[in-house]
Coordinates of all heavy atoms in Angstrom, one line a residue:
E62 N -14.6 -3.8 -8.5 CA -15.0 -4.2 -9.9 C -14.3 -3.4 -11.0 O -14.8 -2.9 -11.9 CB -16.5 -4.0 -10.1 CG -17.4 -4.8 -9.1 CD -17.1 -6.3 -9.2 OE1 -17.1 -6.8 -10.3 OE2 -16.9 -6.9 -8.1
A123 N -12.9 -3.5 -2.0 CA -14.2 -3.8 -1.4 C -14.4 -5.3 -1.3 O -14.2 -6.0 -2.3 CB -15.3 -3.1 -2.3
V124 N -14.8 -5.8 -0.2 CA -15.0 -7.2 0.0 C -16.4 -7.6 0.5 O -16.7 -8.8 0.7 CB -13.9 -7.8 0.9 CG1 -12.5 -7.7 0.3 CG2 -13.9 -7.1 2.3
G125 N -17.3 -6.6 0.6 CA -18.6 -6.9 1.1 C -19.4 -7.7 0.0 O -20.0 -8.7 0.3
N126 N -19.4 -7.2 -1.2 CA -19.9 -7.9 -2.4 C -18.9 -7.9 -3.4 O -18.2 -6.8 -3.7 CB -21.2 -7.2 -2.8 CG -22.3 -7.4 -1.9 OD1 -22.9 -8.5 -1.7 ND2 -22.7 -6.3 -1.2
V127 N -18.6 -9.0 -4.1 CA -17.5 -9.1 -5.0 C -17.8 -9.8 -6.3 O -18.8 -10.6 -6.3 CB -16.3 -9.9 -4.3 CG1 -15.8 -9.1 -3.1 CG2 -16.7 -11.3 -4.0
G128 N -17.0 -9.6 -7.3 CA -17.2 -10.4 -8.5 C -16.0 -11.4 -8.6 O -14.9 -11.0 -8.5
V129 N -16.4 -12.6 -8.8 CA -15.4 -13.7 -8.8 C -15.3 -14.2 -10.2 O -16.2 -14.6 -10.8 CB -15.8 -14.9 -7.9 CG1 -14.8 -16.0 -8.0 CG2 -15.8 -14.4 -6.4
N130 N -14.1 -14.2 -10.8 CA -13.8 -14.7 -12.1 C -13.8 -16.2 -12.1 O -13.1 -16.8 -11.3 CB -12.5 -14.1 -12.7 CG -12.6 -12.6 -12.9 OD1 -13.6 -12.1 -13.4 ND2 -11.5 -11.9 -12.7
T147 N -18.1 -13.9 -14.8 CA -17.9 -13.2 -13.5 C -19.1 -13.4 -12.6 O -20.2 -13.1 -13.0 CB -17.6 -11.7 -13.7 OG1 -16.4 -11.5 -14.5 CG2 -17.4 -11.0 -12.3
L148 N -18.9 -14.1 -11.5 CA -20.0 -14.4 -10.6 C -20.1 -13.3 -9.5 O -19.1 -13.0 -8.8 CB -19.7 -15.7 -9.9 CG -19.5 -16.9 -10.9 CD1 -19.0 -18.1 -10.1 CD2 -20.7 -17.2 -11.7
Q149 N -21.3 -12.7 -9.4 CA -21.5 -11.7 -8.4 C -22.1 -12.3 -7.1 O -23.2 -12.8 -7.1 CB -22.5 -10.6 -8.9 CG -22.0 -9.9 -10.2 CD -20.7 -9.1 -9.9 OE1 -20.5 -8.6 -8.8 NE2 -19.9 -8.8 -11.0
V150 N -21.3 -12.3 -6.0 CA -21.7 -12.9 -4.8 C -21.3 -12.1 -3.6 O -20.4 -11.3 -3.7 CB -21.1 -14.3 -4.7 CG1 -21.7 -15.3 -5.7 CG2 -19.6 -14.3 -4.8
P151 N -21.9 -12.4 -2.4 CA -21.4 -11.7 -1.2 C -20.0 -12.2 -0.9 O -19.6 -13.3 -1.2 CB -22.4 -12.3 -0.1 CG -23.6 -12.7 -0.9 CD -23.1 -13.2 -2.2
G152 N -19.2 -11.3 -0.3 CA -17.8 -11.6 0.0 C -17.6 -12.9 0.8 O -16.6 -13.5 0.7
D153 N -18.6 -13.2 1.7 CA -18.4 -14.4 2.6 C -19.0 -15.6 2.0 O -19.0 -16.7 2.6 CB -19.2 -14.1 3.9 CG -18.5 -13.0 4.8 OD1 -17.2 -12.9 4.6 OD2 -19.1 -12.3 5.5
Y154 N -19.5 -15.6 0.7 CA -20.0 -16.8 0.1 C -18.8 -17.8 -0.1 O -17.8 -17.5 -0.6 CB -20.6 -16.5 -1.3 CG -21.3 -17.6 -2.0 CD1 -22.6 -17.9 -1.8 CD2 -20.5 -18.5 -2.8 CE1 -23.2 -18.9 -2.4 CE2 -21.2 -19.6 -3.4 CZ -22.5 -19.8 -3.2 OH -23.1 -20.9 -3.8
E155 N -19.1 -19.0 0.4 CA -18.0 -20.1 0.4 C -18.0 -20.9 -0.8 O -19.1 -21.5 -1.2 CB -18.2 -20.9 1.7 CG -17.0 -21.7 2.1 CD -16.0 -20.8 2.9 OE1 -16.4 -19.7 3.3 OE2 -14.9 -21.3 3.2
F156 N -16.9 -21.1 -1.5 CA -16.7 -22.0 -2.5 C -15.8 -23.2 -2.0 O -14.8 -23.0 -1.3 CB -16.0 -21.4 -3.7 CG -16.8 -20.4 -4.5 CD1 -16.6 -19.0 -4.3 CD2 -17.8 -20.8 -5.3 CE1 -17.3 -18.1 -4.9 CE2 -18.6 -19.8 -6.0 CZ -18.4 -18.5 -5.8
D162 N -22.2 -25.8 -7.1 CA -22.9 -24.5 -6.8 C -23.9 -24.2 -8.0 O -23.7 -24.5 -9.1 CB -21.9 -23.4 -6.7 CG -21.1 -23.5 -5.4 OD1 -20.1 -24.2 -5.4 OD2 -21.5 -22.8 -4.5
E163 N -25.0 -23.5 -7.6 CA -25.9 -23.0 -8.6 C -26.1 -21.5 -8.3 O -26.7 -21.1 -7.3 CB -27.3 -23.8 -8.5 CG -28.2 -23.4 -9.6 CD -29.5 -24.3 -9.6 OE1 -29.5 -25.3 -8.8 OE2 -30.4 -24.0 -10.4
L164 N -25.6 -20.7 -9.3 CA -25.7 -19.3 -9.1 C -26.3 -18.7 -10.4 O -25.7 -18.8 -11.5 CB -24.3 -18.7 -8.9 CG -23.6 -19.1 -7.5 CD1 -22.2 -18.6 -7.5 CD2 -24.4 -18.5 -6.4
G165 N -27.4 -18.1 -10.3 CA -28.1 -17.6 -11.5 C -28.4 -18.7 -12.5 O -29.0 -19.7 -12.2
F169 N -22.4 -25.5 -11.6 CA -21.0 -26.0 -11.8 C -20.4 -26.7 -10.6 O -20.9 -26.5 -9.5 CB -20.1 -24.8 -12.2 CG -20.1 -23.7 -11.2 CD1 -19.3 -23.7 -10.1 CD2 -20.9 -22.6 -11.4 CE1 -19.3 -22.7 -9.2 CE2 -20.9 -21.5 -10.5 CZ -20.1 -21.6 -9.4
P196 N -13.7 -18.2 1.1 CA -14.8 -17.3 0.8 C -14.5 -16.5 -0.5 O -13.3 -16.3 -0.9 CB -14.7 -16.4 2.0 CG -13.3 -16.5 2.5 CD -12.9 -17.9 2.2
A197 N -15.5 -16.0 -1.1 CA -15.4 -15.3 -2.4 C -14.4 -14.2 -2.3 O -13.7 -13.9 -3.3 CB -16.8 -14.8 -2.8
K198 N -14.4 -13.5 -1.2 CA -13.5 -12.3 -1.1 C -12.0 -12.6 -1.2 O -11.2 -11.8 -1.4 CB -13.8 -11.5 0.2 CG -13.6 -12.3 1.4 CD -14.1 -11.5 2.6 CE -13.9 -12.3 3.9 NZ -14.4 -11.5 5.1
V200 N -11.0 -15.2 -3.3 CA -10.8 -15.9 -4.5 C -10.3 -15.0 -5.6 O -10.9 -14.0 -5.9 CB -12.1 -16.7 -4.9 CG1 -11.9 -17.4 -6.2 CG2 -12.5 -17.6 -3.8
L203 N -11.8 -19.0 -10.1 CA -12.3 -20.4 -9.9 C -12.1 -21.1 -11.2 O -12.2 -20.6 -12.3 CB -13.8 -20.4 -9.6 CG -14.2 -19.8 -8.3 CD1 -15.8 -19.8 -8.2 CD2 -13.7 -20.7 -7.1

Side-chain angles (χ1 to χ4, degrees):
E62 300 301 312
V124 294
N126 292 287
V127 299
V129 176
N130 294 322
T147 299
L148 305 170
Q149 300 294 333
V150 292
D153 290 331
Y154 187 90
E155 200 83 10
F156 290 104
D162 288 84
E163 188 172 352
L164 296 171
F169 53 84
K198 61 186 176 182
V200 177
L203 293 174

